[in-house]
Amino acid sequence: MVTGSYDVVVIGAGPAGEQAVGRLADGGLTVAVVERELVGGECSYWGCIPSKTLIRPGDVLAAARRAPGAAQAVTGQLDTAAAFAQRDYMTSNWHDDGHLPWLEGKGIDLVRGTGRLAGERAVEVEAADGTTRQLRAAHAVVLATGTGPLIPPIPGLREAGPWDNRSITSAKELPRRLLVLGGGAVGVEMAQAFKRLGCAEVVILEGAGRLLAREEPFAGEELRAAFGAEGITVVTGARMTAARRVGSGGPVGLGLECVGLEPGRPVPVDGQLRAAGVAGGWLYAIGDCNGLAPFTHMGKYHGRVAAAAILGREVADAASHAIVPRVTFTDPQVCAVGRTEAEARAAGLRVTVVTTATGEVPGAYTQGNGVGGTSQLVIDDDRRTVAGATFTGPGLQELLHSATVAICGGVTVDRLWHAVPSFPTVSEVWLHLLEAYGL
């Protein structure tokens, strides 16, 4: 058996793993990263990058149609083949050659194969040809494996071979009809994208009472209205009972049981993202596999935190429980950070909720006609700080970071009153919201 010794071994070369190995190497440690698929991970090839690339053509057309003058120039049909070709370019046709030079430049060893824990500070890697390699870590092992899509326990559904996020973001042909099971972020984004790409019929089936059930209720209601105007059918409060076809699939083991952790469950972690209950503090879990905040940007944040902890710095995860930013890239977009009103009240906070129409500022009017949406702040009355924020409307993703900074920094609303937004920008909704609070 081939063996290798390193200061740190990272299992998974997605966004979280890349952040960790880069910072650890910069800190002077020897690092190996294990990857069984593509360096760059889910986000680069089957998640954020291809999905947002497929969303973009429809967004551009919708924005143009809201602007008189530009609207008259939009006379042709969306070129689906060109949209798919751009997606292929953005994913490098599912090759990771472009990710490798930076690993080599930092002296990071890439080990191709399936990694699993094989004991304390030990990782066993099985290559595609069946050969096995043993890696030893002097300081730490970091789990950055990500997660796979959940297939609901519906009789016959797994066997029916349904599309998941990988199937739809890598699709080569447009289906005539598309049934989306679930009205979460991925479901609603792909439903609208594929309708705008040319699907004749798109239906969303959601078991909860509204779309985006984890966000503020008004966000799902506004999105449903927009979908109805585009011919997307939304059915809520109904569940699939059975499905039929033929297919196969199964999970891959990670060896958690050999260190006393339960397979098939998120890895519980402490504030430094060390696996709870593993003696010696050598095992870390970052990104989706710890279950804290399954977003690419949070995985990258976890990678930074874990790397700093391994390098001996005083650091702790301050964002994963109450300052998680999230954007659903539909039209209208749903941009939120921090706690919803319900979550804030459940946490025992005394809050005031203020709202304003996103489209009622001059900056929104300059973008064209029919720009709508809602902006909302959940304000902690005792601390006079923002506990949560939600913005709905077209193209608001860059507006969200202002709220993230306000919450992360604990900036009081009295101080925010002096943060002057440029005119004419949509950021003026902040003034309207603070005025609604009485400032």
Side-chain angles (χ1 to χ4, degrees):
M1 180 181 292
V2 178
T3 61
S5 297
Y6 301 88
D7 291 323
V8 181
V9 177
V10 177
I11 304 178
E18 286 182 315
Q19 282 287 321
V21 297
R23 288 175 174 261
L24 291 167
D26 288 345
L29 300 184
T30 59
V31 186
V33 60
V34 181
E35 177 54 58
R36 67 184 177 92
E37 293 187 304
L38 299 175
V39 176
E42 196 79 14
C43 178
S44 297
Y45 304 101
W46 300 283
C48 310
I49 299 303
S51 66
K52 278 51 180 180
T53 301
L54 292 172
I55 287 168
R56 182 61 176 165
D59 266 359
V60 172
L61 287 177
R65 288 174 178 139
R66 282 191 283 264
Q72 287 70 22
V74 182
T75 56
Q77 296 294 316
L78 190 151
D79 188 334
T80 305
F84 283 159
Q86 178 68 5
R87 182 273 319 273
D88 293 347
Y89 166 75
M90 292 296 292
T91 58
S92 301
N93 284 291
W94 292 276
H95 290 90
D96 61 4
D97 297 354
H99 283 259
L100 305 186
W102 79 269
L103 286 175
E104 297 169 358
K106 290 181 178 290
I108 300 165
D109 282 356
L110 170 63
V111 182
R112 299 276 191 182
T114 300
R116 65 189 316 274
L117 296 173
E120 183 175 343
R121 295 182 174 85
V123 174
E124 185 177 279
V125 183
E126 183 178 353
D129 62 5
T131 59
T132 302
R133 182 176 180 181
Q134 189 89 22
L135 305 179
R136 288 282 177 180
H139 295 311
V141 174
V142 180
L143 303 179
T145 59
T147 55
L150 172 68
I151 298 181
I154 297 169
L157 181 59
R158 181 180 292 275
E159 293 75 17
W163 277 11
D164 56 20
N165 66 294
R166 290 192 171 198
S167 308
I168 196 164
T169 57
S170 61
K172 299 295 186 182
E173 296 181 354
L174 197 68
R176 187 170 68 85
R177 294 183 298 173
L178 179 65
L179 172 65
V180 178
L181 182 59
V186 174
V188 295
E189 285 182 358
M190 291 296 92
Q192 187 177 48
F194 271 68
K195 179 63 176 176
R196 288 178 168 185
L197 286 168
C199 267
E201 183 179 359
V202 176
V203 177
I204 301 175
L205 183 64
E206 168 56 52
R210 65 179 193 269
L211 299 176
L212 300 179
R214 295 184 179 182
E215 302 296 350
E216 296 286 7
F218 71 81
E221 293 164 4
E222 291 179 11
L223 195 57
R224 182 173 191 158
F227 281 7
E230 294 192 24
I232 299 170
T233 301
V234 177
V235 181
T236 55
R239 299 179 182 274
M240 180 181 285
T241 57
R244 288 184 297 276
R245 206 163 67 181
V246 178
S248 61
V252 176
L254 185 58
L256 294 176
E257 65 280 356
C258 76
V259 294
L261 296 175
E262 183 181 353
R265 305 285 298 176
V267 178
V269 294
D270 64 13
Q272 286 72 46
L273 302 176
R274 287 187 296 256
V278 177
W282 57 271
L283 184 65
Y284 292 73
I286 60 178
D288 288 10
C289 69
N290 63 30
L292 292 178
F295 299 97
T296 294
H297 45 278
M298 294 304 297
K300 294 169 73 172
Y301 168 69
H302 291 168
R304 300 197 300 271
V305 171
I310 293 169
L311 290 167
R313 299 172 188 162
E314 291 292 328
V315 66
D317 175 6
S320 294
H321 298 283
I323 321 177
V324 178
R326 51 212 184 263
V327 178
T328 302
F329 288 84
T330 45
D331 182 11
Q333 288 184 348
V334 177
C335 310
V337 61
R339 292 185 167 106
T340 63
E341 177 185 359
E343 290 169 342
R345 295 190 188 281
L349 301 183
R350 190 172 63 89
V351 300
T352 295
V353 178
V354 292
T355 62
T356 190
T358 306
E360 291 301 312
V361 293
Y365 282 114
T366 65
Q367 295 183 6
N369 298 328
V371 175
T374 303
S375 295
Q376 174 182 289
L377 296 181
V378 178
I379 299 174
D380 181 338
D381 290 327
D382 294 325
R383 297 179 63 224
R384 292 183 68 80
T385 57
V386 180
T390 302
F391 306 98
T392 65
L396 298 180
Q397 68 269 25
E398 303 300 340
L399 177 61
L400 183 64
H401 197 56
S402 57
T404 305
V405 171
I407 297 173
C408 183
V411 185
T412 66
V413 290
D414 305 284
R415 188 64 180 170
L416 286 173
W417 188 82
H418 296 282
V420 182
S422 299
F423 183 86
T425 66
V426 181
S427 298
E428 278 198 302
V429 296
W430 277 95
L431 295 183
H432 291 219
L433 290 165
L434 294 174
E435 287 170 357
Y437 190 64
L439 295 173

